[in-house]
Amino acid sequence: MLSQKAKYALRAAMMLAERAGDSEPVRVPEIAQREHISLKFLEAILVELRDAGIVESRRGRNGGYKLRRSPDEISFGDIIRVIDGALAPIRCASRFQFQPCADCPDVASCVIRWAMIRARDAISDALDHCTLAEALSQQIKLPPGLVVDLP
């Protein structure tokens, strides 16, 4: 399940993607206010994204954050892995954080693992092919104050 922290990271990254063409970085309080994220929590998220090479920061009065790469080179999968770790639903299905289940007699023939690897591959494929640029093109533009009930 996607954590709230990962959702916030995606929302912050989307705002940075919107402003990718700007010469000035986006200030953290501006992101926090627009996206309704605690300033301290957002700062911690942005530091993780910076350390992973997804965003870059500038200190000082005119400081803030910008994407390090173009929005079409950053996927949802990139961001989620930084914040939440592996996309696999269970550790024995993880490519990089593999751990066998304590109660599994034979990892090689486990049908639960087989199904979870298929799920991991489908999730990974979808998230790795959804870039920030593509997501920007999918945003629904609503007039201010309009609320829409989605199914």
Side-chain angles (χ1 to χ4, degrees):
M1 182 177 300
L2 189 65
S3 71
Q4 188 65 42
K5 185 177 180 183
K7 287 183 198 176
Y8 287 160
L10 289 167
R11 288 175 25 200
M14 288 299 300
M15 185 169 176
L16 295 176
E18 289 172 12
R19 307 279 272 295
D22 293 358
S23 59
E24 293 298 314
V26 182
R27 297 185 61 229
V28 178
E30 184 180 351
I31 300 169
Q33 182 179 10
R34 187 181 105 175
E35 298 301 329
H36 307 288
I37 305 169
S38 153
L39 187 62
K40 289 285 187 197
F41 195 38
L42 178 59
E43 287 171 341
I45 290 168
L46 290 169
V47 165
E48 286 186 54
L49 294 176
R50 183 199 65 206
D51 291 348
I54 292 175
V55 300
E56 59 188 20
S57 62
R58 185 190 307 166
R59 298 179 115 179
R61 196 177 118 189
N62 295 321
Y65 284 87
K66 295 182 77 149
L67 294 177
R68 183 167 279 167
R69 295 173 283 157
S70 169
D72 63 349
E73 296 174 354
I74 301 170
S75 73
F76 275 44
D78 295 333
I79 294 167
I80 294 168
R81 283 185 188 94
V82 168
I83 302 300
D84 283 351
L87 297 177
I90 57 178
R91 291 222 179 227
C92 70
S94 177
R95 283 194 174 115
F96 304 109
Q97 298 176 5
F98 172 84
Q99 286 183 335
C101 298
D103 60 345
C104 185
D106 182 18
V107 172
S109 65
C110 179
V111 294
I112 296 170
R113 179 172 183 259
W114 166 80
M116 294 303 110
I117 288 172
R118 289 186 66 188
R120 176 209 64 205
D121 289 348
I123 291 168
S124 178
D125 185 56
L127 294 173
D128 288 341
H129 288 93
C130 181
T131 66
L132 297 179
E134 183 182 18
L136 278 177
S137 73
Q138 297 299 313
Q139 284 184 330
I140 300 170
K141 303 294 184 195
L142 299 175
L146 180 64
V147 177
V148 177
D149 287 331
L150 298 175

